[in-house]
Amino acid sequence: MTAELIDGKAFALDLRGRIATLAADFTARSGRKAGLAVVLVGADAASQVYVRSKGKATVEAGMASFEHRLPADASETELLDLVRALNHDPLVDGILVQLPLPGHLDEQTVIATISPDKDVDGFHVTNAGRLAVGQPGFVPCTPLGCLMLLKNRLGSLSGLDAVVIGRSNIVGKPMAQLLLAESCTVTIAHSRTRNLADVVRRADIVVAAVGRPEMVKGDWIKPGATVIDVGINRVDGAEPGKTRLVGDVDFAGACDVAGAITPVPGGVGPMTIAVLLRNALVAAFRNAGLELAEGAI
Ligand code: NAD
């Protein structure tokens, strides 16, 4: 069997197109652009790249991007004051504080200070709670992107066996909640799970969010299963001094067995920013008291 590729790049592009159309509609109806504020503390190279690409994508979608940079030695008070000011800014619909923060700043305190109604990353406990009890809120971007890819490929997920490998607050746990809400039978596997290969072999849906290059082997996969590889791992390339990106799944091995699989890169990665824009636009409609058709994005 050769697995079908799940093209996250194409799906994300299409989603961003739909977001741009709705963002223009929002501007026409509200008289202002939907606004996303991104806060970067310090000069971490990877974070700078992420913040730049988020800002660019926001503007491309016809939304307003507000970038705030604080020095690496900014105090917690300075950062919390900025977040509170953004909470009260009527032009800002969504707030994202780029993680990780420098060690002297407590991420949970910062996340707890963001208004849950502007928490487009979905990391606030209020939004985690809303997800857990099935109330509308904001869902973390990466797992929501994975769910969109799964539903696009499989339609109804009801009754399917799903295994999520990883239990982080930003990927594994919300992914499991989303799959449960779709009526999957969900297993959350993690670093203490025994006989992981056997657990994965039961799954119609495998979501790997571990951070270990090519850990999930092809012969762990149930024939025909749908595999979503969240992992982004940089490993040595074929040529000396060159690196390449691989996922948490042995792609070549899994392709022989799976029904469909996301590649790395070009699978889950492009979905994350697209869903961030989606969450920011949903926030804008809600904050402005305007209706957005259910399932429009
Ligand atoms: P994390 O380090 O917070 O969590 C990793 C999880 O994997 C933990 O819950 C741990 O229990 C589990 N784990 C570790 N070793 C294991 C093992 N041997 N067997 C089974 N489980 C094991 O990571 P995270 O933030 O959830 O991210 C996971 C991966 O997804 C990383 O590679 C990260 O780069 C990637 N990621 C990608 C995107 C994207 O946009 N595509 C977004 C977020 C994270």
Side-chain angles (χ1 to χ4, degrees):
M1 180 183 291
T2 301
E4 197 180 300
L5 283 191
I6 299 176
D7 188 346
K9 204 171 160 188
F11 190 97
L13 203 66
D14 179 67
L15 177 58
R16 282 168 65 166
R18 282 181 282 139
I19 290 166
T21 304
L22 286 166
D25 177 46
F26 176 84
T27 305
R29 287 164 70 189
S30 70
R32 67 171 180 90
K33 286 183 176 177
L36 173 63
V38 179
V39 179
L40 175 63
V41 186
D44 176 74
S47 294
Q48 283 185 332
V49 173
Y50 291 140
V51 165
R52 209 174 305 131
S53 51
K54 283 167 187 169
K56 191 165 162 269
T58 306
V59 172
E60 277 172 12
M63 295 158 60
S65 168
F66 306 102
E67 235 175 81
H68 295 269
R69 287 166 188 265
L70 294 179
D73 61 356
S75 69
E76 187 166 287
T77 312
E78 238 176 301
L79 177 55
L80 296 185
D81 283 349
L82 172 59
V83 169
R84 288 190 194 102
L86 296 171
N87 282 344
H88 291 108
D89 186 335
L91 297 180
V92 171
D93 297 293
I95 302 168
L96 179 154
V97 178
Q98 183 65 44
L99 303 178
L101 291 170
H104 66 286
L105 299 169
D106 180 47
E107 291 185 354
Q108 287 311 320
T109 306
V110 177
I111 291 168
T113 305
I114 299 172
S115 160
D117 297 330
K118 296 192 177 187
D119 168 40
V120 284
D121 255 340
F123 295 163
H124 194 289
V125 286
T126 299
N127 282 315
R130 286 170 174 164
L131 176 62
V133 298
Q135 287 176 7
F138 292 107
V139 177
C141 303
T142 301
L144 184 53
C146 294
L147 184 76
M148 287 178 180
L149 293 179
L150 281 168
K151 287 176 76 169
N152 183 54
R153 151 113 195 136
L154 296 170
S156 168
L157 309 184
S158 178
L160 296 179
D161 281 314
V163 170
V164 179
I165 319 174
R167 57 173 160 184
S168 71
N169 288 341
I170 65 168
V171 188
K173 280 185 211 159
M175 186 74 244
Q177 293 283 7
L178 286 169
L179 291 166
L180 186 60
E182 296 294 328
S183 301
C184 290
T185 303
V186 183
T187 303
I188 307 176
H190 47 77
S191 54
R192 303 287 175 87
T193 296
R194 281 178 285 170
N195 305 325
L196 182 60
D198 290 340
V199 172
V200 173
R201 259 182 215 116
R202 293 201 299 262
D204 304 303
I205 294 170
V206 180
V207 181
V210 190
R212 292 178 184 258
E214 300 176 320
M215 187 192 80
V216 178
K217 304 301 174 202
D219 65 1
W220 297 12
I221 306 292
K222 176 173 163 178
T226 303
V227 179
I228 304 290
D229 190 349
V230 183
I232 303 177
N233 309 288
R234 200 164 275 287
V235 297
D236 289 339
E239 290 169 45
K242 290 256 162 91
T243 59
R244 66 192 171 96
L245 287 185
V246 297
D248 290 342
V249 179
D250 166 18
F251 183 75
C255 272
D256 289 341
V257 193
I261 185 167
T262 56
V264 177
V268 174
M271 291 300 291
T272 299
I273 285 191
V275 176
L276 171 68
L277 301 176
R278 178 234 174 244
N279 281 357
L281 190 59
V282 169
F285 273 87
R286 284 186 193 152
N287 293 342
L290 293 173
E291 201 160 321
L292 181 62
E294 176 83 27
I297 38 173

